[in-house]
Amino acid sequence: MRRRPTARQAIAAVGEDFVEAVAPHGAEIPADGPLSWSGYADSRARATDRTGEEESVVHGLATVGGHPCVLISFEFGFLGGSLGQRTGDRLEAAYETARSRRLPLVSLIATGGSRMQEGMVALTQLQRVARASARLRAAGLPQLAVLRDPTTGGGWATLGAGADVILALPGAQIGFAGSRVRPADADPSAYTAEGQLMTGHVDAVVGAAELPGTLGRWLGALGAAGVDEPLLPAPVPGALSDTGLPATGWDAVRQARSPARPRAEAYLDAYFDHLLPLGGDRCGGTDPGLLCGFGLRGGRPIAYVAQCGTATRPAGYRTAARVIRLADRLGVPVLTLIDTPGAANDAEAERAGAGAAIAGAFTAIAEARVPVTTLVIGEGGSGGALALAAPDNTYVTRDSYFSVIAPELAAAILKRSPDAVRTTADQLRLRPQDLVELGIARGIAAPGAQAP
């Protein structure tokens, strides 16, 4: 049987210069706990003898990848890493230290949930953690979680799922329901790190060897938030093709739909020095046709949302809104790349809440206090594209178009024959130069250049 790393081994694996915080002095608790649970004091004493710890969490200051942070680590060997009243004292103190010192919070979680021997008193610690997390969020400071094996119950539903960035170790058990309380016929894959990644609840599954570097890069991106005074917008990417301006509307559509045209992946690779992807809408969905995350460009963090040429699904819009709101809270500028024939409009998309998801993306852009920069790199199809576009800071490439609707659909709505599609495309004035003349776009991105 594989032995789980202790709390301190988990700390040593990712951080340096750990300085443990002095345990806070909370209210007096009877030896057998608030419920006077017979034998509870003996169970705690045995847990201490076995682990050397006085509680199920250790916390303090540390350096991860050269970046200072507050670090929380769970000791699963102490009563299954369960949360009790004294655990709540320590967690609340850790959050407050992060807030007062203006530091990111990193949680290395391994817990079975709330402590049975403390009953409802243990369960209410989740409210304490939620309040402390909300205060840290309001202060504009990032929270990162590493899900070890297992991460279940209230620990998953607060420190884990409530974090801004959620990383998981391969094969870790993750779920609100622990292994002893799940339905007998439950699909076991749903309770794994890989299963949670597929359904959009985890951002990445990271091997133990890669974890220190990944955490360090994330702290470098999120911990550097808000350093610009005033906050500058993300520079407009240079165009990656030297295509000429289209002569007609239909030429614009053909150029945008060309399989040879550069796609979002190429733009992101050319623009950023390093990419830190975020995936999933936290509602059970993912959209492989939308790339989101934070990138480092010359050491500067920029959030990105990039459509990949497919019809964007509701999960994609919800993921985009999540990333934009996170960037706004942390003071990080946003870059969006538009390339979609439109929002997905099949029955599955409607059942998944397409309208509400698109509305959420429009709202996230509208409410953003940080600057948003948009470059249309291909198709700009209707509201499915506009939902992710900056209202007054949108640029276009020469091999792109932006239209109220695709010309084929416009012709159909107007009851025109298929032969009228090309004429309709001209009437829609969807060419890059038309968009600049109409004031929809600020300019056309030149090959290899950056707009001011």
Side-chain angles (χ1 to χ4, degrees):
M1 180 178 178
R2 185 183 62 178
R3 186 174 180 179
R4 291 184 178 90
T6 66
R8 295 179 191 273
Q9 287 171 339
I11 291 172
V14 300
E16 300 176 337
D17 306 320
F18 178 67
V19 178
E20 186 176 357
V22 176
H25 295 288
E28 289 297 325
I29 302 175
D32 276 335
L35 305 185
S36 298
W37 188 287
S38 179
Y40 180 41
D42 293 337
S43 296
R44 288 182 58 90
R46 287 193 297 270
T48 296
D49 290 341
R50 185 167 55 251
T51 65
E53 305 295 349
E54 297 291 332
E55 242 319 323
S56 59
V57 296
V58 175
H59 71 100
L61 301 175
T63 302
V64 176
H67 303 284
C69 64
V70 172
L71 199 56
I72 294 170
S73 187
F74 278 71
E75 177 53 69
F76 190 81
F78 192 100
L79 301 180
S82 56
L83 280 71
Q85 188 170 350
R86 286 284 184 252
T87 322
D89 292 339
R90 295 188 178 204
L91 293 174
E92 191 172 53
Y95 277 93
E96 180 55 32
T97 299
R99 192 177 70 85
S100 63
R101 290 178 175 260
R102 303 290 305 168
L103 291 173
L105 180 82
V106 178
S107 300
L108 311 176
I109 309 171
T111 175
S114 299
R115 193 169 298 169
M116 298 300 98
Q117 297 92 329
E118 295 189 22
M120 281 299 299
V121 174
L123 192 63
T124 58
Q125 303 311 304
L126 306 184
Q127 294 175 321
R128 293 180 69 186
V129 173
R131 284 195 299 268
S133 177
R135 287 195 292 268
L136 194 60
R137 192 175 297 112
L141 294 164
Q143 302 173 44
L144 291 82
V146 176
L147 312 182
R148 298 154 58 205
D149 184 40
T151 298
T152 60
W156 164 231
T158 51
L159 289 93
D164 299 314
V165 177
I166 305 174
L167 309 176
L169 292 175
Q173 293 185 66
I174 301 167
F176 186 63
S179 59
R180 298 184 182 181
V181 298
R182 297 169 192 162
D185 59 350
D187 178 5
S189 66
Y191 303 89
T192 64
E194 292 75 13
Q196 297 285 5
L197 177 67
M198 288 180 61
T199 50
H201 300 297
V202 165
D203 289 307
V205 175
V206 182
E210 292 76 38
L211 185 59
T214 301
L215 279 174
R217 285 188 288 271
W218 269 114
L219 289 172
L222 303 187
V227 295
D228 290 315
E229 289 293 343
L231 182 62
L232 300 175
V236 179
L240 297 183
S241 68
D242 55 3
T243 302
L245 286 172
T248 68
W250 187 245
D251 287 338
V253 174
R254 290 177 59 251
Q255 288 184 180
R257 293 176 179 174
S258 169
R261 173 181 54 79
R263 305 286 162 158
E265 293 92 336
Y267 274 94
L268 294 175
D269 288 342
Y271 189 81
F272 288 109
D273 304 320
H274 196 89
L275 295 171
L276 296 164
L278 289 171
D281 64 357
R282 299 293 188 265
C283 298
T286 61
D287 183 352
L290 193 77
L291 302 177
C292 294
F294 283 65
L296 292 173
R297 176 181 170 86
R300 181 190 181 200
I302 298 172
Y304 64 88
V305 173
Q307 292 172 314
C308 298
T310 58
T312 304
R313 305 204 66 80
Y317 291 111
R318 283 191 288 264
T319 304
R322 176 170 77 91
V323 172
I324 293 166
R325 290 188 174 110
L326 175 58
D328 189 53
R329 176 161 58 81
L330 298 178
V332 175
V334 177
L335 170 70
T336 66
L337 301 179
I338 302 301
D339 184 10
T340 180
N345 58 5
D346 52 50
E348 180 184 351
E350 292 298 337
R351 284 192 291 266
I358 295 169
F362 269 115
T363 301
I365 293 283
E367 291 179 342
R369 296 160 296 178
V370 297
V372 180
T373 301
T374 295
L375 179 64
V376 184
I377 62 171
E379 291 193 82
S382 192
L386 190 67
L388 297 176
D392 54 1
N393 197 30
T394 291
Y395 291 78
V396 291
T397 62
R398 295 177 182 178
D399 45 6
S400 70
Y401 78 84
F402 216 150
S403 177
V404 63
I405 196 169
E408 297 94 333
L409 298 179
I413 290 171
L414 296 172
K415 299 181 180 180
R416 295 178 175 178
S417 69
D419 295 339
V421 169
R422 297 189 178 194
T423 302
T424 303
D426 286 334
Q427 289 181 296
L428 288 169
R429 298 200 64 192
L430 47 73
R431 299 176 304 167
Q433 58 267 44
D434 295 327
L435 298 169
V436 173
E437 184 177 342
L438 291 168
I440 305 301
R442 292 184 63 177
I444 299 173
Q450 292 179 359

